[in-house]
Amino acid sequence: MYINGKFLAQPITGVQRYALHVLLTVDSLLQEGQWVTNEPLVLLAPTTHLHATAAFTRLEVREIAAGHLHLWEQWRLPRATRGDRLLNLAGSAPLFKRGQICTFHDTAVFDMPQAYNRAFTCWYRLLFTVQGRLSHRLLTVSDFSKARICHHLRVDPGKVGVVHGAADHMLAHQADYGVLPRLDVTPGRYFIAVGSANPTKNFARLVEAFAGLPQADTRLVVVGGSNSAVFNDREEKGCHDARIVRAGRLTDAELKALYIHARAFVFPSVYEGFGLPPIEAMLCGCPVLAARAASIPEICGPAAAYFDPLSLTSMRKAMARALHDDTWLDSLRAAGRERASLFSWHNAATGLLQQLASLGVVRRAA
C-alpha cells in the first residue's frame, strides 16, 4: 500500500499535523512490534518536501519528482501507484483513482461554502463526490463529520471510519516563555484564540465581544495566519481596540507558553471537523471556553464551558466570568487535562491500523 506524502511539502496546519503525527506513531508501533505488515507500506514524498523523513524506520520512503504540488498529486502520484491502493490522510487525493482510502476531515465546502473561494469549493466538492463513489473506504476525524459525509455524499455509514486527532505533540516542546514579553502580555491577564482567518473561525465576532469588556489591563491574543488563495478573508472592521494582540504564526513552543499562562482559551468557531486547538489548550492546563457548534461539544465533552457562537452577549458573558471566577476556571482546568488524555496520537495511530487491518494490510502481532 502506498501513502500520499503531499503533506510533507506543505506548511503545517491541522490536516498536515494530523497526517504527520499519525504516520510517525504508526511507524513507532510497527517498530515496537505491536503490529505487523502483510504488505509493504510505502510513503511517497515529493522531492520538494519540507519535513524530514529520516524519522520513519518501518515505512519505506520514496521520492517522486515534483513541480507543482497539485499536478504532482493528480498526475505523478496516480501513475506511480497504478494498480495499487493509496492511503490519503490530509484531505486531498487524486480525483479519478479507484480503490483509495481517503480522509475527509470535514465537509465545510458543502456546509459553509461562503468561507472559501469559488475554485476551491468547486474542486473539493467534485473530489469528495467522485471519491465518495470510487474510494474503497473513507476516513474522517469525528462522528459529526462522519454524519455530514454520509449526508452529502450519500454513502453507507459502514464505509466511513472515524480516527480522531490528538494534541500530545505539545508534550514534546519546552515552552518558550520569551513570547510573553515580546507580545507585551501579562500571565493570567489575557485570553488566547488560535485559528486561521477563515470566516468559520468567527474571529470577527470574538473581537467584537471582547471589545465590550471593560477591563483595561486584559488582552486578547489572536494566533494564526491566513491563506487568501483558499479562504474568503474578512478583517474585523471598525474595531481598533489596542488590547487585541495579533500574534500571527507562532512556534509550538511559543504557543505552549501562551496556553500555560492564559486566563482562558476561547474557541468561537461555528464549524469544525475536529478542532485541535481546544485539546492542545486543555493538555497545557488552559481552561477552555468554546462554541456549542458542529463537532466541538463531541470533542471537548464536559471539559469546556460553552457559549452560543452567534451571540455576542453569550460569548462576552463567558469571558467576563473567566476574569473573576477562579474556582470555575480551576474546575475547567482539571476537567480539561482529563479530557485531553483521551486523545493521543497512539490512539489515533491504533485506530488507523485497525482500519488497515480490516483491509488485510496489517495485523496485530501474535
Side-chain angles (χ1 to χ4, degrees):
M1 171 171 281
Y2 290 102
I3 303 168
N4 182 351
K6 176 186 174 184
F7 68 90
L8 292 167
Q10 297 174 311
I12 290 288
T13 61
V15 297
Q16 291 82 18
R17 187 184 296 279
Y18 176 89
L20 181 61
H21 284 283
V22 166
L23 289 179
L24 285 170
T25 311
V26 163
D27 190 81
S28 294
L29 294 177
L30 292 173
Q31 179 68 28
E32 293 166 7
Q34 297 184 34
W35 291 80
V36 179
T37 58
N38 295 328
E39 56 190 77
L41 295 178
V42 182
L43 176 59
L44 298 177
T47 51
T48 54
H49 62 82
L50 303 173
H51 309 294
T53 58
F56 294 104
T57 59
R58 295 303 300 272
L59 300 184
E60 180 185 346
V61 179
R62 296 182 195 168
E63 292 188 356
I64 302 177
H68 192 283
L69 276 182
H70 182 69
L71 293 179
W72 181 90
E73 184 174 55
Q74 298 302 317
W75 176 247
R76 293 185 182 274
L77 190 59
R79 290 187 66 191
T81 61
R82 186 182 295 126
D84 293 301
R85 286 179 291 194
L86 179 65
L87 171 63
N88 306 277
L89 291 170
S92 60
L95 177 60
F96 291 119
K97 182 175 174 60
R98 293 182 177 274
Q100 300 186 87
I101 303 170
C102 292
T103 305
F104 298 150
H105 291 246
D106 59 53
T107 56
V109 291
F110 293 97
D111 291 323
M112 303 286 291
Q114 67 274 18
Y116 305 91
N117 67 44
R118 183 174 177 80
F120 184 91
T121 300
C122 290
W123 167 253
Y124 274 95
R125 282 187 171 189
L126 175 64
L127 173 64
F128 283 23
T129 301
V130 170
Q131 281 303 318
R133 297 187 178 95
L134 297 185
S135 286
H136 187 76
R137 189 155 183 77
L138 299 176
L139 300 177
T140 192
V141 293
S142 64
D143 290 334
F144 167 80
S145 285
K146 176 176 178 174
R148 301 311 294 160
I149 286 170
C150 292
H151 170 75
H152 288 296
L153 305 186
R154 299 181 181 180
V155 298
D156 187 282
K159 186 176 182 176
V160 186
V162 175
V163 178
H164 289 129
D168 49 332
H169 52 272
M170 298 301 291
L171 298 176
H173 300 282
Q174 291 290 329
D176 181 357
Y177 296 110
V179 69
L180 275 75
R182 181 168 66 80
L183 296 179
D184 192 25
V185 294
T186 302
R189 296 308 302 172
Y190 64 89
F191 295 102
I192 179 173
V194 178
S196 68
N198 187 332
T200 64
K201 303 302 181 183
N202 203 25
F203 279 2
R205 194 172 278 111
L206 170 62
V207 164
E208 189 174 352
F210 174 81
L213 294 174
Q215 289 82 0
D217 65 339
T218 301
R219 301 285 185 267
L220 171 64
V221 179
V222 179
V223 179
S226 176
N227 184 353
S228 58
V230 174
F231 305 129
N232 286 329
D233 296 347
R234 298 174 186 174
E235 293 297 326
E236 302 92 17
K237 297 180 179 178
C239 182
H240 304 288
D241 194 322
R243 297 174 300 164
I244 297 171
V245 180
R246 291 173 174 81
R249 295 186 185 276
L250 298 178
T251 66
D252 284 347
E254 291 171 325
L255 182 58
K256 184 174 184 177
L258 289 173
Y259 281 145
I260 289 171
H261 284 299
R263 188 71 181 173
F265 172 79
V266 188
F267 199 55
S269 182
V270 296
Y271 192 91
E272 292 288 336
F274 180 85
L276 283 177
I279 304 301
E280 290 180 339
M282 289 177 182
L283 189 71
C284 295
C286 184
V288 171
L289 316 178
R292 190 177 295 280
S295 69
I296 301 170
E298 173 192 342
I299 302 306
C300 294
Y306 294 100
F307 54 79
D308 178 353
L310 302 182
S311 168
L312 293 176
T313 300
S314 179
M315 198 181 305
R316 187 178 296 135
K317 184 177 179 181
M319 288 190 286
R321 182 178 179 183
L323 288 175
H324 66 79
D325 194 337
D326 290 342
T327 301
W328 182 57
L329 291 186
D330 286 342
S331 68
L332 287 175
R333 192 174 286 111
R337 287 196 175 99
E338 182 177 352
R339 186 70 180 177
S341 69
L342 301 178
F343 299 98
S344 68
W345 291 117
H346 179 278
N347 290 344
T350 299
L352 176 60
L353 286 165
Q354 289 170 340
Q355 295 290 329
L356 296 181
S358 70
L359 304 177
V361 178
V362 299
R363 67 183 187 278
R364 284 189 181 274

